[in-house]
Structures are given as structure tokens and as C-alpha cells.
């Protein structure tokens, strides 16, 4: 299994990984050591909290290492040839069924945040929008029994400026 990621995604993950290994790991180990000195470990909340934080950091390190190791590098203009919707583009769509207009930005899986309009290029909506043009009617099939249409109203061509943060767990 692999995730389609850009070189910028890999760079941001490597920066976070370096920070977690070089800066956070020693700090968290020191916190555990200090908390251990507070007495009985079975009733020592500070020790338990420090261990949990240290373990969370180690999980994130393993996650980032795995993401980098299994990544499939894609071009940042993936899907956007000939003026169609591409990676990092903001797309305004009209949903006729709901009589609503929504705006999405197409991003990689490491940066998706649906609550803020950042949808993965690998999601059903992202897949359906990639490469499409203004005026196209796109059908999104959610599951076997439900689907809906959307009309592309506008495409704003954007680039990755690094301002979209990486996902947390």
C-alpha cells in the first residue's frame, strides 16, 4: 500500500520527524525521568501523563516513517492538465439537489481536512473532480444505493505554498 504524496509533503513530514526525534524525544524522556522521581509509580499521575505523551510521540514518529517509506511521489500538477481541476486547486461546485454552492480545495491525504474544505484527491469527490472543467456535471457515487451530482462552477488554480498543515492522527 502507498499514499500519493508530493515532494513538499515528504519535506514537511521529514521536518516534523526530525523535530520529534531531535527535540521532542529527549525532552519527553527527561519529563518521564523527572516524574518517576515523584514517588510511587502506581499513583503517580505525572509519570503516567509523561509516559502517554512520550508514547504518542513515538507513535507519530513510526507513522511518519511509514508514510515516507511507502509514499508514491506525484507531481503537483497531477490531474490539472489542459485547465482541468488539479492538485491544490480550489473548486466551486453547485449541488442542484440541495440548491447549495460549496468550495473545496483538492489536496493530498496528508493534508485533508473535510471540515475546512480540504478534500483528498483520493476521496470519492476528489477523484471525481480531478481533470474536470468548468461546466462539467460530475456524479459522486457514495455507495451502491446513493449518489449525487455536482456542477463545477469555478476553478481557482493554486499552488502548494506550504501553508496547509499536515494531518495529525
Amino acid at each position: 500500500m502507498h499514499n500519493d504524496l508530493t515532494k513538499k509533503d515528504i519535506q514537511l513530514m521529514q521536518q516534523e520527524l526530525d523535530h520529534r526525534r531531535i527535540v521532542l524525544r529527549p525532552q519527553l524522556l527527561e519529563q518521564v525521568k523527572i516524574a518517576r522521581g515523584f514517588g510511587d509509580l502506581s499513583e503517580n499521575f505525572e509519570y503516567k501523563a509523561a509516559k502517554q505523551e512520550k508514547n504518542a510521540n513515538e507513535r507519530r514518529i513510526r507513522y511518519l516513517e511509514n508514510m515516507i517509506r511507502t509514499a508514491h511521489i506525484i507531481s503537483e500538477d497531477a490531474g490539472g492538465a489542459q485547465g482541468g481541476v488539479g492538485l491544490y486547486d480550489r473548486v466551486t461546485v453547485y449541488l442542484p439537489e440541495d440548491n447549495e454552492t460549496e468550495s473545496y480545495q483538492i489536496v493530498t491525504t496528508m493534508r485533508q481536512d473535510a471540515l475546512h474544505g480540504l478534500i483528498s484527491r483520493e476521496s470519492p469527490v476528489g477523484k471525481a473532480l480531478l481533470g474536470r472543467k468548468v461546466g462539467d456535471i460530475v456524479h459522486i457515487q457514495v455507495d451502491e444505493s446513493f449518489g449525487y451530482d455536482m456542477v463545477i462552477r469555478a476553478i481557482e488554480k493554486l499552488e502548494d505554498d506550504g501553508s496547509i498543515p499536515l494531518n495529525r492522527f
Side-chain angles (χ1 to χ4, degrees), residues 89-109:
D89 291 349
R90 187 176 324 282
V91 184
T92 303
V93 297
Y94 173 69
L95 303 164
E97 195 171 294
D98 300 329
N99 194 27
E100 290 183 2
T101 301
E102 294 186 2
S103 182
Y104 305 112
Q105 186 171 6
I106 310 296
V107 296
T108 59
T109 25

Side-chain angles (χ1 to χ4, degrees), residues 20-84:
R20 286 180 176 279
R21 285 179 181 154
I22 296 167
V23 178
L24 281 181
R25 185 181 270 164
Q27 288 175 355
L28 295 172
L29 285 171
E30 184 63 25
Q31 287 177 6
V32 169
K33 194 160 111 179
I34 290 169
R36 183 178 285 148
F38 291 161
D40 182 10
L41 296 182
S42 66
E43 295 180 14
N44 186 337
F45 173 77
E46 290 84 2
Y47 176 73
K48 288 179 183 175
K51 286 283 286 186
Q52 286 176 345
E53 194 173 349
K54 180 187 97 46
N55 291 340
N57 186 56
E58 294 302 318
R59 280 191 306 275
R60 181 67 176 181
I61 287 172
R62 285 190 305 273
Y63 173 77
L64 291 170
E65 288 172 339
N66 186 52
M67 289 297 289
I68 291 169
R69 185 176 58 255
T70 62
H72 175 253
I73 306 296
I74 59 169
S75 169
E76 290 194 20
D77 62 352
Q82 294 97 26

